[in-house]
Amino acid sequence: MSSLNSTLPQNVSFVRPQFFYINGFSNIPYVKYYYIFLCIVLTVTILGNSFIMFIIYIEQSLHTPKYVVVFHLAVVDMCGSTALIPKMIETFLFDSQLISYEGCLANMFFVHSFTFMQSLTLLALAYDRFVAICFPLKYHIIITTAGMGKILAGIWILAAGVVIAAVGFTTRLSFCKSIVINSYFCDHGPIYRMSCNDNFPNYVIAQIGITILLAAPLTLILSTYVCIILALLKIASEEERIKAMKTCTSHLILVAMFYLPISAIYIAANITSIDPNTRIISTSLSSTISPMMNPIIYTMKTEDFAVFIVSMLLSSNCNLTTCPVSLTLCSISPCPAIISAL
């Protein structure tokens, strides 16, 4: 690393390096198995989220505001993993740890933007569940497809705006001390801390980003579930309470998977010192596992998806094997033989 740092010009007031060196995952035994694991994660993420998007697209009954947000979450998950994992594999598995200055800024923009969008999309889903349970009679008036589309457009504008500001302030930094990034991608925090001129604007925009795009959504999500629990306590029937909560379980699991690792790492880093490799692996896992698991959780935990997948399988089974006499009737309604078998 010292040889890289020694290549920086001396006695120059402003230094913009031609490249950075990404130093993540150093001195970790058997780390190449982790990169193979990331390849599997990326494959499952793309296939799973593509499957969710395909189902929502072809099934008319899923063309609702809630599933517009689920579709958006699948897009964000797939784009975020695609922006992060292939570059990680290229960087560390193939020993290509040098990245151009412009390429580093692009990597910073896309990874952070999609992370923030995932957080805000989970907030949009929480808003949908809040209105559905607390104001069921007004749900179709408050939650509309057009309105949800405007919310999602606002998510893109807000996330991109904050990250563009961070990238813009980064271009004003001088790197006369080091070009070694102690992270697994071009992370804004480690980069602006390497600068040798005033980086206070970057610090401010980093705190704004963490507050508006991570801490505030989590606080609002927790607040909506407090309201949901209070509303459910007013329901007389325990069966209705359980049914209402079942519509929230998949979302709650997604929220826990996304926010708990990030919050734990952030709190631990501020309370005690964490080994850099432990922090990097933990952060990279929280960034990659959640997008992979989201479509699996929605497929298994959401009744609408389960019903559609079962009906699709039944229809396919009917058309191929069970009802050779009347394929038209079979395609309209499931075969009696299969229903009785279930």
Side-chain angles (χ1 to χ4, degrees):
M1 296 309 99
S2 59
S3 62
L4 284 171
N5 294 334
S6 65
T7 62
L8 295 172
Q10 302 298 318
N11 301 320
V12 179
S13 59
F14 186 87
V15 177
R16 177 174 290 179
Q18 293 183 343
F19 54 82
F20 287 104
Y21 184 90
I22 302 178
N23 193 39
F25 302 112
S26 59
N27 301 320
I28 301 177
Y30 308 110
V31 71
K32 289 191 176 181
Y33 293 109
Y34 183 62
Y35 306 143
I36 296 172
F37 170 71
L38 289 178
C39 291
I40 298 171
V41 168
L42 178 62
T43 303
V44 175
T45 300
I46 293 174
L47 292 176
N49 285 289
S50 298
F51 179 66
I52 290 288
M53 293 160 61
F54 173 73
I55 289 178
I56 294 174
Y57 178 77
I58 66 170
E59 176 55 29
Q60 290 292 326
S61 65
L62 299 180
H63 292 181
T64 62
K66 174 186 174 181
Y67 288 105
V68 168
V69 185
V70 174
F71 187 94
H72 180 265
L73 181 63
V75 172
V76 169
D77 284 342
M78 191 163 62
C79 292
S81 293
T82 304
L84 179 62
I85 296 178
K87 186 60 183 175
M88 286 173 61
I89 294 171
E90 178 193 352
T91 299
F92 300 109
L93 186 60
F94 299 105
D95 295 324
S96 179
Q97 291 170 266
L98 290 178
I99 182 171
S100 68
Y101 179 83
E102 294 77 11
C104 189
L105 294 182
N107 182 251
M108 179 193 300
F109 171 78
F110 286 111
V111 173
H112 283 309
S113 293
F114 287 119
T115 300
F116 290 149
M117 285 181 199
Q118 187 176 0
S119 174
L120 294 171
T121 305
L122 291 173
L123 175 59
L125 282 170
Y127 172 64
D128 174 87
R129 292 299 84 204
F130 166 72
V131 175
I133 294 175
C134 296
F135 304 98
L137 299 179
K138 296 182 179 179
Y139 177 79
H140 293 292
I141 299 173
I142 299 173
I143 305 293
T144 63
T145 302
M148 198 58 78
K150 292 177 182 177
I151 290 174
L152 296 179
I155 287 173
W156 279 78
I157 293 170
L158 179 59
V162 172
V163 179
I164 286 173
V167 173
F169 282 120
T170 301
T171 61
R172 300 173 65 254
L173 298 179
S174 176
F175 299 93
C176 57
K177 299 176 182 177
S178 175
I179 58 172
V180 179
I181 304 172
N182 291 316
S183 185
Y184 57 96
F185 74 104
C186 288
D187 197 349
H188 175 252
I191 288 177
Y192 85 75
R193 294 189 188 97
M194 296 190 311
S195 64
C196 51
N197 60 345
D198 181 23
N199 60 18
F200 183 72
N202 291 81
Y203 170 79
V204 172
I205 198 66
Q207 297 307 309
I208 291 173
I210 291 171
T211 302
I212 295 179
L213 302 174
L214 287 174
L218 177 58
T219 303
L220 290 172
I221 289 171
L222 295 177
S223 300
T224 60
Y225 275 102
V226 170
C227 296
I228 287 172
I229 292 170
L230 293 175
L232 290 177
L233 291 176
K234 297 177 183 178
I235 298 176
S237 170
E238 184 177 351
E239 184 180 349
E240 290 178 355
R241 292 179 192 172
I242 295 173
K243 184 177 180 182
M245 278 306 298
K246 279 185 177 179
T247 66
C248 302
T249 53
S250 56
H251 179 254
L252 282 170
I253 295 172
L254 301 188
V255 169
M257 287 185 58
F258 180 79
Y259 286 106
L260 282 180
I262 294 176
S263 302
I265 294 165
Y266 184 79
I267 293 170
N270 284 275
I271 294 176
T272 182
S273 60
I274 303 177
D275 181 75
N277 287 333
T278 302
R279 177 184 60 81
I280 288 172
I281 289 180
S282 301
T283 309
S284 64
L285 279 174
S286 67
S287 301
T288 54
I289 295 298
S290 181
M292 179 187 72
M293 294 302 297
N294 287 353
I296 297 173
I297 291 167
Y298 255 101
T299 303
M300 295 176 62
K301 288 288 184 179
T302 305
E303 186 177 352
D304 295 335
F305 278 110
V307 169
F308 175 73
I309 292 170
V310 169
S311 65
M312 186 169 62
L313 292 173
L314 292 178
S315 178
S316 174
N317 212 347
C318 270
N319 290 331
L320 293 175
T321 58
T322 313
C323 299
V325 178
S326 179
L327 295 179
T328 305
L329 285 174
C330 239
S331 63
I332 296 174
S333 59
C335 294
I338 298 177
I339 293 176
S340 61
L342 294 174

